[in-house]
């Protein structure tokens, strides 16, 4: 009798970055806590993991990241004040973040890159497949990217990465995948990966975006991966080894995502993300879009 693969329940969210592109706002506030409309960006990411059935979440943090822990913890004083005021709506919003998932935290004492941050999760993850979600990429809740990736991993084994077509002029900003097609239109087999290739050297226009479902064999590879681009331990380099040799944790597949993605790691894209999400809100959208039309018309 064939043993079914273990159900994926754990997610890792690296959140130790300094957020230098958003200084001075991030001097004392973690970039993950910057609001996207009325929720911090990190809450969208945790909600996405929970929606995909991943209720055990490890956040890899660093110095000055305590507000992340506070946000997902109970605030009894605030809850008591809202209760006394009879403000049930705001009370529910405050309690929502603390009730989302079972949260764990570990510090990445030495910021040595994404690969090193993932390696910090090894004691918590153990020997089961797990997901990695990067906080700069927000995936619209209506687009089931992570659930699809979990499905592919549980069916095919190995690791699964999220890919998205980008303009060839932009591929140097991303990890890039060399791929082969499969019988499923949205799934490819990854044969190679390059971290931020130079113009004209990219094997495709398929960029790696911030969602991964990884076989635990990646930890062994990361332990021996030398620092790569930028002097950091790159997760892309470890996955390249696994794609080249399927005896290390099985094959690497990619899910080609064509849905709605909001990049909050860039100032311009961060602002565009807020506008897009605000326009789609039932409570804010109609008035906000009317104002936006007037503003754009007047400015033009």
């Amino acid at each position: 009798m064939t043993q079914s693969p273990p159900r994926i329940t754990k997610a890792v969210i690296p959140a130790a970055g300094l957020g230098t592109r958003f200084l001075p706002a991030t001097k004392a506030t973690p970039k993950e806590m910057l609001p996207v409309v009325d929720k911090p960006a990190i809450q969208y990411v945790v909600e996405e993991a929970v929606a995909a059935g991943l209720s055990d979440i490890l956040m890899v943090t660093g110095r000055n990241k305590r507000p992340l822990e506070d946000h997902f913890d109970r605030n009894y004083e605030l809850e008591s004040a809202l209760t006394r005021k009879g403000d049930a709506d705001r009370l529910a919003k405050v309690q929502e973040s603390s009730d989302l998932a079972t949260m764990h935290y570990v510090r990445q004492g030495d910021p040595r890159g994404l690969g090193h941050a993932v390696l910090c999760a090894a004691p918590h993850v153990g020997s089961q497949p797990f997901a990695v979600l990067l906080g700069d990429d927000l995936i619209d809740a209506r687009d089931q990217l992570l659930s699809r990736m979990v499905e592919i991993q549980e069916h095919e084994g190995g690791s699964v990465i999220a890919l998205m077509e980008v303009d060839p002029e932009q591929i140097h900003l991303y990890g890039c995948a060399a791929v082969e097609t499969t019988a499923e239109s949205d799934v490819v087999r990854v044969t190679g990966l390059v971290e931020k290739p130079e113009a004209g050297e990219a094997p495709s226009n398929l960029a790696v975006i911030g969602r991964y479902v990884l076989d635990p064999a990646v930890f062994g590879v990361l332990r021996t991966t030398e620092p790569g681009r930028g002097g950091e331990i790159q997760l892309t380099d470890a996955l390249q080894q696994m794609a080249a040799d399927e005896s290390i944790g099985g094959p690497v597949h990619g899910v080609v995502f064509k849905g709605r993605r909001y990049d909050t790691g860039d100032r311009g894209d961060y602002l565009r993300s807020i506008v897009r999400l605000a326009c789609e809100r039932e409570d804010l959208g109609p008035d906000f879009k009317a104002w936006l039309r007037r503003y754009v018309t007047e400015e033009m």
Side-chain angles (χ1 to χ4, degrees), residues 45-67:
V45 180
V46 173
E47 289 172 348
E48 179 188 350
V50 171
L54 312 181
S55 57
D56 184 325
I57 295 176
L58 176 71
M59 204 167 290
V60 183
T61 66
R63 293 183 60 201
N64 301 321
K65 298 287 185 167
R66 183 59 185 270

Side-chain angles (χ1 to χ4, degrees), residues 201-224:
E201 297 180 4
S204 73
N205 69 331
L206 289 174
V208 181
I209 59 175
R211 298 295 181 270
Y212 309 81
V213 179
L214 302 177
D215 186 275
V218 73
F219 295 129
V221 179
L222 286 169
R223 290 188 182 98
T224 60

Side-chain angles (χ1 to χ4, degrees), residues 66-138:
R66 183 59 185 270
L68 293 170
E69 298 184 34
D70 291 341
H71 180 71
F72 292 101
D73 199 359
R74 298 291 298 273
N75 186 328
Y76 291 102
E77 294 83 358
L78 177 58
E79 292 177 26
S80 178
L82 293 171
T83 299
R84 289 195 303 270
K85 291 181 178 180
D87 195 338
D89 288 342
R90 287 190 174 89
L91 176 62
K93 291 178 180 179
V94 167
Q95 292 176 331
E96 180 183 13
S97 59
S98 58
D99 294 336
L100 273 173
T102 302
M103 303 294 297
H104 308 270
Y105 304 89
V106 64
R107 276 199 174 192
Q108 183 187 13
D110 187 8
R112 297 168 57 197
L114 176 58
H116 181 257
V118 171
L119 188 55
C120 290
H124 180 80
V125 168
S127 59
Q128 295 186 354
F130 64 104
V132 175
L133 296 86
L134 304 191
D136 287 347
D137 281 335
L138 305 187

Side-chain angles (χ1 to χ4, degrees), residues 27-46:
K27 179 181 178 181
T29 301
K31 67 172 183 176
E32 296 84 4
M33 289 300 296
L34 294 178
V36 180
V37 188
D38 54 4
K39 286 191 296 190
I42 194 68
Q43 184 169 333
Y44 289 89
V45 180
V46 173

Side-chain angles (χ1 to χ4, degrees), residues 179-228:
V179 302
E180 296 175 348
T181 59
T182 71
E184 299 188 74
S185 61
D186 65 331
V187 179
V188 294
R189 196 179 193 95
V190 177
T191 60
L193 289 160
V194 182
E195 178 66 20
K196 297 182 179 179
E198 298 295 335
E201 297 180 4
S204 73
N205 69 331
L206 289 174
V208 181
I209 59 175
R211 298 295 181 270
Y212 309 81
V213 179
L214 302 177
D215 186 275
V218 73
F219 295 129
V221 179
L222 286 169
R223 290 188 182 98
T224 60
T225 299
E226 295 293 328

